[in-house]
Amino acid sequence: MSRFSLKSSARLSALVMLAAVLTAPKASAGPAAEVAKRCLHFSYIAYPFKRPGAMPMSGDRQAYFKDCMAKNGAVPMPNPPPKEQ
């Protein structure tokens, strides 16, 4: 190959790479760690921990956490459930 064709192919590949970088979709940032900590704390207030085997577990705590994360932590502070006697 001649020197001219090597330069032109190098320029072409550089242009293709530049176009690929500039048109790549931007990645969105996930929620902050503070939001996750807040949502986890709120989920344990709304659905407190119970000893495994004492009662059947449900997915309520996980559903609350996912909902809180979807709202980026913008949920009101939950009221704890009444104490059982």
Side-chain angles (χ1 to χ4, degrees):
M1 286 183 122
S2 70
R3 187 181 249 186
F4 178 73
S5 64
L6 287 176
K7 284 184 179 179
S8 63
S9 63
R11 285 183 185 162
L12 179 62
S13 64
L15 285 175
V16 169
M17 292 285 283
L18 182 64
V21 169
L22 293 177
T23 60
K26 303 294 182 211
S28 63
E34 293 81 23
V35 174
K37 288 177 186 177
R38 177 185 174 119
C39 289
L40 187 62
H41 177 71
F42 283 178
S43 66
Y44 272 93
I45 290 174
Y47 302 98
F49 178 77
K50 301 218 174 21
R51 185 174 53 84
M55 65 183 309
M57 301 301 282
S58 66
D60 293 336
R61 186 184 306 134
Q62 185 177 6
Y64 184 91
F65 178 79
K66 284 183 178 182
D67 182 52
C68 180
M69 291 297 287
K71 294 178 181 175
N72 203 19
V75 295
M77 177 117 177
N79 294 326
K83 296 282 183 185
E84 295 178 13
Q85 295 171 356

